[in-house]
Amino acid sequence: MIRTLVVASLVLAACSPTAAPDPVASPTKASDPRAVSACRYLADALKKNVLPPFMDASAANHAAYSTDPDIRAAGERLGPAAKEVGDIYFRKDPAIDTGPADLRLAEARQGMLAACTKVFGEPPWEFAGQPTPTPSS
């Protein structure tokens, strides 16, 4: 379990959004209220990192209705990952290794963060009203 979390931390560090070139925010995309909501929920999920991942599921749900194809696709990956981690959380079975599911959730969060960054620029986003979201390890 600990080893899996260490690997997840290393993967997330290598996929840091700061390693990519700074994308330019698209002012036309900011008018998409579902994309704004999805990215706001994502920022909350990354900031609080609570279980079960309700905020991740909310981000995925809002992303599903976004007019931006990248945010919609990222939400389609985030939703099942959040559900899987939530299901494991509610089972409370100590025999289940949560590491692989946690890693899939972290990767889906990174993908959603990349899509939000592509549309709205580097966080912190003005609409999120909080510090820059960074995945916790």
Side-chain angles (χ1 to χ4, degrees), residues 66-129:
S66 174
T67 58
D68 184 82
D70 292 333
I71 289 182
R72 194 170 45 251
E76 290 171 358
R77 289 185 299 276
L78 182 61
K83 182 184 180 326
E84 180 183 16
V85 171
D87 289 347
I88 291 171
Y89 173 82
F90 282 112
R91 271 190 243 142
K92 297 185 182 198
D93 184 352
I96 295 175
D97 180 10
T98 61
D102 290 337
L103 181 59
R104 283 189 287 278
L105 179 61
E107 289 171 344
R109 282 178 171 177
Q110 282 297 117
M112 187 72 175
L113 180 61
C116 290
T117 300
K118 182 178 177 185
V119 174
F120 299 114
E122 287 294 322
W125 301 300
E126 184 177 296
F127 55 80

